[in-house]
Amino acid sequence: VPDAPWIAVVGPGRADVAQLEAAEAVGAGVAAAGAVLVCGGLGGVMEAACRGARSRRGMTVGLLPGVDRTDANGWVEVAIPTGLGEARNALVVRAADAVIAIGGAWGTLSEIGLALKTGRRVIGLGTFEITQAGRRVEGIVAVESPEEAVAEALARRAPPH
Amino acid sequence: VPDAPWIAVVGPGRADVAQLEAAEAVGAGVAAAGAVLVCGGLGGVMEAACRGARSRRGMTVGLLPGVDRTDANGWVEVAIPTGLGEARNALVVRAADAVIAIGGAWGTLSEIGLALKTGRRVIGLGTFEITQAGRRVEGIVAVESPEEAVAEALARRAPPH
Amino acid sequence: VPDAPWIAVVGPGRADVAQLEAAEAVGAGVAAAGAVLVCGGLGGVMEAACRGARSRRGMTVGLLPGVDRTDANGWVEVAIPTGLGEARNALVVRAADAVIAIGGAWGTLSEIGLALKTGRRVIGLGTFEITQAGRRVEGIVAVESPEEAVAEALARRAPPH
Amino acid sequence: VPDAPWIAVVGPGRADVAQLEAAEAVGAGVAAAGAVLVCGGLGGVMEAACRGARSRRGMTVGLLPGVDRTDANGWVEVAIPTGLGEARNALVVRAADAVIAIGGAWGTLSEIGLALKTGRRVIGLGTFEITQAGRRVEGIVAVESPEEAVAEALARRAPPH
């Protein structure tokens, strides 16, 4: 575990079936590759990703916004109740070598911004497209499948720093 | 000061002339309206906004990422060295009733996400447009001028919570 | 304000009359010396210190544990709702050049520890004495009066860092 | 792991031989009891405690002050680079049901204060004694051996909250 890559999976706490299936497949792929899955520890995309990772006996880490460890979804192996509220999003990103965003919610957008700001690779699966003055902003690597998301996250992950 | 509205101005630490002029005008407008200007305390849009606010004798608060108070730009009246790194973006947003985003950088995107997540109104002046599955996402109120930005931020600010 | 020394006053949110009187005198002394008073923003010693500082038109900054600016006591000029819970104690200490502890509560003890860890001078007025293996631990400068506390805090404050 | 008790071991990053031996024995005891060991992730007491826990195949979690996962000592299984500096002490305490303090350093004192403030049981093994107005302050449960420390930490741990 100490030398494994860490991949964050971020996405809405309330997600639709397609997003949940994608998240579960991403989590399984992350674990199958021997990587640690880190997330915000709650429901929706986070829970599905953890469930997928546990189906391959992967390590799952949840960094919770509140102070109660039992808020974590049932597939989190190591739950850290940060008590930082939404500021914990910065810790999810810091813990990871690359970030996979599935679907989109405002918290997800903040994690994408923090990841790009701190030089992490961001892979997007059905997440936001961001434009400025009519031009698409570089940054998010858009992919079409969970397999592609995992491959992109692991192939080009930034070195830990 | 205790009962004044608080407006966050967020934007890149390195900005072009048009963004700096817009930020200075926004800062002046915030102060002229009796509101407190809060920002990340550094250069670019943050510095120009503070300079504008000080030109109207407004209160300026800078929440710095590092541990050194003297990192603040010269127009910050109250500088708080949070030592939280990029996690301080969450504190900038929490301190504010509304957020005005000028231009766009990855840190700015994270602040937009955090503000929308926590129910603050976000006003955009030349900032990102965000779409998902080809449709524009509601959330950022796009305006055309500094005056409009200040008016929107103050007219509909959320109650403190 | 930007070049003034910053003095933190820490102590229990529920304090006895002697502690409140001491805190008010310390706050007045801090403001009379042109220093900024920073504290946790709540009641008891924090409120009395802010009231003292405002009686001399000093600047008072409150770094609150919660997300609601209106939790601040009525004498805080600039209230920052950090949303970090007790982790905000680290920010109170970081914002200050020196720390004056009045009385003692567990939160106060944590602030004393953080201040000494990060090289701030700590002045104690009726606060804890700390021993280890039967010997008194150096670190807290014990004083007998509010005047002495302010003088010690200002005379030997560490440079901002 | 999800249902196990979490015990924090706190103490100086530079420790003497007796403290290191005590920390290693405490770590082994924590792991032998099926509890998760959480600490600040660095050297000295933290490293010895993690080594002890790993000698019994226990789970070790390190919450680091910096942003680099590789700062963790070699016995940390799950390393979280919080980037919060000393504010991470609050997270170490929050993650735990009870705190064992071995030896004493200023950071340790802050963790003792935070733990008592938030209702965690604190067990002291050769750590500070704290008095106020000449009377010993209740709070730290002083023990004489690593075995006693582990037994006290596990017997009376507070419920997660």
Side-chain angles (χ1 to χ4, degrees), chain A residues 49-112:
Chain A
C50 289
R51 188 170 55 235
R54 293 301 296 152
S55 75
R56 296 292 183 279
R57 301 186 178 274
M59 169 60 74
T60 52
V61 176
L63 302 178
L64 298 159
V67 296
D68 189 343
R69 191 191 311 146
T70 64
D71 289 343
N73 72 64
W75 308 98
V76 171
E77 277 291 287
V78 172
I80 310 287
T82 68
L84 301 176
E86 297 305 318
R88 76 80 156 79
N89 292 3
L91 273 65
V92 171
V93 166
R94 277 177 189 153
D97 299 307
V99 175
I100 299 174
I102 299 171
W106 297 132
T108 313
L109 186 66
S110 78
E111 291 164 313
I112 291 171

Side-chain angles (χ1 to χ4, degrees), chain C residues 44-72:
Chain C
V45 158
M46 297 170 267
E47 182 168 12
C50 289
R51 187 169 57 235
R54 293 300 297 152
S55 76
R56 297 292 183 280
R57 301 184 177 275
M59 169 59 76
T60 52
V61 176
L63 302 178
L64 297 160
V67 296
D68 188 342
R69 191 191 309 146
T70 64
D71 288 343

Side-chain angles (χ1 to χ4, degrees), chain A residues 131-152:
Chain A
T131 58
Q132 196 167 17
R135 276 184 301 183
R136 181 141 179 222
V137 174
E138 300 292 317
I140 304 173
V141 179
V143 296
E144 300 295 323
S145 72
E147 295 69 31
E148 228 186 313
V150 173
E152 282 283 345

Side-chain angles (χ1 to χ4, degrees), chain D residues 17-27 48-49 102 125 145-146:
Chain D
V17 171
Q19 290 169 334
L20 295 175
E21 287 180 353
E24 188 157 354
V26 163
I102 299 172
L125 187 56
S145 72

Side-chain angles (χ1 to χ4, degrees), chain D residues 2-155:
Chain D
D3 300 323
W6 283 55
I7 306 297
V9 178
V10 301
R14 295 185 189 177
D16 63 33
V17 171
Q19 290 169 334
L20 295 175
E21 287 180 353
E24 188 157 354
V26 163
V30 165
V36 175
L37 188 148
V38 60
C39 69
L42 300 176
V45 160
M46 297 170 267
E47 183 168 12
C50 289
R51 188 170 55 234
R54 293 300 297 151
S55 75
R56 296 293 182 280
R57 301 186 178 273
M59 171 58 76
T60 51
V61 176
L63 302 178
L64 297 159
V67 296
D68 189 342
R69 191 192 309 146
T70 64
D71 289 343
N73 73 63
W75 308 98
V76 171
E77 278 291 288
V78 173
I80 310 287
T82 68
L84 301 176
E86 298 303 319
R88 75 82 155 77
N89 293 3
L91 274 64
V92 171
V93 166
R94 276 178 189 152
D97 299 307
V99 175
I100 300 176
I102 299 172
W106 297 132
T108 314
L109 187 65
S110 78
E111 290 164 315
I112 291 171
L114 289 163
L116 293 170
K117 169 81 176 181
T118 55
R120 268 92 181 155
R121 190 163 176 81
V122 177
I123 322 298
L125 187 56
T127 192
F128 302 108
E129 301 97 50
I130 299 170
T131 58
Q132 197 167 18
R135 275 183 302 183
R136 183 146 177 215
V137 174
E138 300 292 317
I140 304 173
V141 179
V143 296
E144 300 294 322
S145 72
E147 294 70 31
E148 229 186 312
V150 174
E152 282 283 344
L154 288 167

